[in-house]
Amino acid sequence: MIRCLWSTKNAQLMQYHDLEWGIPVLESKKLFECFALEIFQAGLNWSTVLKRREGLRNTLSSFDPFCLCEYSDTEIQQVIADPAVIRNPRKIHAVFHNANVVAQLPTTFSDYMWHFVDFEPIRCPSTFMNSEEAQMLLAKRVVRQMKQDGFVFVGPKNIYAFLQAAGLINDHEVSCFRYHDLAIL
């Protein structure tokens, strides 16, 4: 079975690739988890994030943005001190801040994000011709709007990675079995 090259480094990445990466996420809480994990991933490898994901879920109320809005400063400091999570205060504060932004949106987080792709996954490379420039144009447009709406810790690279992971963009390699599986959704 042919997979995207990045996923063949270890069994954990392979399982993530086969069962999660690039599958369209429509449920807002799960989509927020994908977004938060991309924040935690910045500067780290994805294997590190996957190893800490369960600890993050347990400590961060399963990434429910409405629950995260209720955390006190003391509880946020407890999260920062928790050895089960990625203890980067800047990233943790960004997740809490972004949860507050999500809670204030006039729509669901899912509708907010999916409107950037007209509520249908973009198929790469057929739609974008695998153009790095086209990919970054989309990411920059999303980032610009997210920043206007109050989101933090959003840049073109981590937002593009988020769009890929959450299935808004089918960016599996064309030779990968998942590209074709997801192309028929």
Side-chain angles (χ1 to χ4, degrees), residues 95-119:
V95 169
F96 280 100
H97 174 89
N98 290 335
N100 283 300
V101 174
V102 167
Q104 301 301 315
L105 290 174
T107 185
T108 66
F109 186 55
S110 180
D111 284 350
Y112 176 83
M113 289 310 305
W114 278 93
H115 95 274
F116 290 111
V117 295
D118 293 327
F119 298 90

Side-chain angles (χ1 to χ4, degrees), residues 20-40:
E20 296 180 62
W21 192 78
I23 296 173
V25 177
L26 301 174
E27 197 274 316
S28 287
K29 187 171 84 169
K30 180 68 177 161
L31 196 60
F32 186 76
E33 176 179 338
C34 290
F35 175 47
L37 291 176
E38 289 301 335
I39 290 171
F40 283 112

